[in-house]
């Protein structure tokens, strides 16, 4: 089922409530300009998700947020604030960005320290990490992909960017390469070049903010993008997919293909960028809330 959400049809109800209502419906489209559905005005990043859901045992699921490449845990600050204010236990944890296998093991080890159900959320390369980490534990009850990769067994993160991705340009035009201690033969740390970061990675953010994010980006090893996925947790765990039509790093077409393969509940956000989690945290949080509502 496809549900095209318009300003008129959803005025008077909250975005989180609307998403919970269509948790099993298929595809939800969010018009960028009408993201604040109660008033029809522009998005308000400080607004709280209206829904508050607990598991059947009365324990609220813990939300664990996993960042992607060329970012860090602070990229989830907007979602973390909104979820915490709504009363959810939430953690935004460090993703090493070294190797898909070991990065996933690091996240799985953290998940084992938590009690009760978990909603596991990944952005970008973090989607590949949660796909593998969730399969190694038994407490993850929902997966949320935010402009992310969701590989099948044997696929690499680097193969899933899509035919029209900005990352298909010659590597010397995309990255600054830096050696790092203990690197496997031929491996390098990759930093996105400034023009790529501003024009293709953070293209819907104010230039000053995008420049600060570029300057503080975390490098990712070439190994991370070339490691084959060992697991596909989305085959057994229900999943949600947030797709920004303005994403130039992992294309909306590639994300939609992965989402359909995973039988995810799909939300398409009109506009945004690869960093819509920073520019529109309310809309991303609403999808996370929808996943939380499903945990029983």
């Amino acid at each position: 089922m496809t549900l095209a959400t318009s300003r008129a049809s959803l005025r008077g109800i909250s975005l989180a409530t609307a998403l919970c209502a269509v948790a099993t419906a298929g595809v939800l489209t969010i018009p960028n300009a009408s993201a604040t559905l109660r008033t029809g005005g522009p998005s308000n990043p400080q607004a709280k998700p209206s829904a508050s859901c607990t598991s059947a045992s009365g324990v609220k699921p813990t939300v664990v947020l996993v960042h992607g490449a060329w970012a860090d845990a602070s990229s989830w600050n907007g979602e973390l604030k909104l979820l915490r204010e709504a009363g959810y236990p939430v953690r935004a944890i460090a993703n090493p960005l070294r190797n898909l296998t070991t990065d996933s093991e690091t996240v799985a080890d953290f998940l084992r320290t938590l009690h009760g159900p978990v909603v596991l959320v990944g952005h970008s390369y973090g989607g590949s990490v949660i796909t593998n980490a969730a399969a190694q534990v038994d407490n993850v009850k929902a997966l949320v992909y935010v402009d992310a990769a969701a590989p099948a067994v044997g696929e690499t993160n680097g193969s899933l960017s899509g035919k029209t991705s900005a990352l298909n340009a010659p590597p010397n035009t995309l990255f600054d390469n830096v050696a790092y201690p203990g690197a496997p033969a031929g491996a390098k740390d990759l930093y996105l070049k400034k023009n790529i970061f501003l024009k293709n990675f953070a293209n819907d953010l104010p230039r000053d903010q995008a420049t600060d994010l570029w300057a503080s980006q975390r490098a990712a090893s070439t190994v991370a993008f070339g490691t084959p996925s060992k697991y596909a947790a989305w085959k057994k765990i229900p999943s949600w997919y947030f797709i920004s039509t303005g994403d130039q790093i992992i294309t909306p077409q590639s994300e939609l293909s992965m989402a359909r393969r995973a039988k995810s509940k799909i939300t398409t956000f009109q506009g945004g960028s690869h960093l819509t989690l920073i520019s529109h945290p309310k809309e991303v949080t609403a999808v996370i809330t929808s996943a939380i509502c499903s945990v029983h």
Side-chain angles (χ1 to χ4, degrees), residues 2-7 9-10 14-20 22 26-38 41-44 240-246 265-272 276 280-288 290:
T2 299
L3 177 62
T5 305
S6 69
R7 186 177 307 173
S9 65
L10 287 177
S14 72
L15 183 60
T17 301
L19 284 165
C20 285
V22 295
V27 180
L28 174 69
T29 299
I30 305 177
N32 190 329
S34 60
T36 301
L37 300 175
R38 187 175 299 278
S43 175
N44 175 10
W240 281 252
Y241 230 107
F242 182 98
I243 300 172
S244 298
T245 64
K265 287 77 174 177
I266 301 168
T267 297
T268 301
F269 180 81
Q270 298 299 316
T276 304
H280 291 277
K282 181 190 173 186
E283 289 70 40
V284 173
T285 301
V287 176
I288 298 170
S290 182

Side-chain angles (χ1 to χ4, degrees), residues 196-232:
I196 300 298
F197 198 104
L198 270 59
K199 294 180 181 179
N200 306 110
F201 193 75
N203 43 291
D204 75 327
L205 291 172
R207 185 176 180 86
D208 285 349
Q209 184 181 10
T211 300
D212 288 345
L213 292 169
W214 163 77
S216 59
Q217 68 178 287
R218 284 189 56 193
S221 172
T222 52
V223 178
F225 303 112
T227 307
S229 179
K230 290 186 175 182
Y231 304 97

Side-chain angles (χ1 to χ4, degrees), residues 156-174:
T156 65
N157 188 93
S159 69
L160 297 172
S161 296
K163 292 181 180 180
T164 60
S165 169
L167 296 183
N168 291 331
N172 66 324
T173 69
L174 296 171

Side-chain angles (χ1 to χ4, degrees), residues 1 17 23 55 65-66 85 120 144 168 191 238 251-252 278 280:
M1 175 186 290
T17 301
S55 69
L65 308 166
V66 181
E85 290 179 349
L120 188 58
V144 183
N168 291 331
Y191 289 88
T251 66
I278 295 177
H280 291 277

Side-chain angles (χ1 to χ4, degrees), residues 94-278:
N95 181 357
L97 308 179
R98 300 289 86 190
N99 175 306
L100 179 56
T101 300
T102 56
D103 292 347
S104 303
E105 290 170 351
T106 298
V107 172
D109 285 342
F110 176 81
L111 296 173
R112 293 186 184 99
T113 69
L114 302 176
H115 300 287
V118 170
V119 173
L120 188 58
V121 186
H123 170 245
S124 190
Y125 168 72
S128 293
V129 173
I130 69 170
T131 297
N132 282 262
Q136 301 175 57
V137 297
D138 59 8
N139 55 347
V140 176
K141 305 304 179 184
L143 298 167
V144 183
Y145 295 91
V146 178
D147 294 318
V153 174
E155 290 180 336
T156 65
N157 188 93
S159 69
L160 297 172
S161 296
K163 292 181 180 180
T164 60
S165 169
L167 296 183
N168 291 331
N172 66 324
T173 69
L174 296 171
F175 307 114
D176 294 317
N177 300 332
V178 179
Y180 64 93
K188 297 285 187 178
D189 261 346
L190 300 179
Y191 289 88
L192 278 181
K193 289 182 178 293
K194 184 177 181 180
N195 65 312
I196 300 298
F197 198 104
L198 270 59
K199 294 180 181 179
N200 306 110
F201 193 75
N203 43 291
D204 75 327
L205 291 172
R207 185 176 180 86
D208 285 349
Q209 184 181 10
T211 300
D212 288 345
L213 292 169
W214 163 77
S216 59
Q217 68 178 287
R218 284 189 56 193
S221 172
T222 52
V223 178
F225 303 112
T227 307
S229 179
K230 290 186 175 182
Y231 304 97
W234 44 260
K235 287 187 175 183
K236 295 183 178 180
I237 301 173
S239 60
W240 281 252
Y241 230 107
F242 182 98
I243 300 172
S244 298
T245 64
D247 192 340
Q248 299 178 31
I249 300 299
I250 304 178
T251 66
Q253 294 81 6
S254 180
E255 291 172 8
L256 184 60
S257 177
M258 289 184 281
R260 288 173 172 167
R261 178 175 68 179
K263 297 180 172 58
S264 302
K265 287 77 174 177
I266 301 168
T267 297
T268 301
F269 180 81
Q270 298 299 316
S273 70
H274 195 58
L275 292 183
T276 304
L277 78 166
I278 295 177

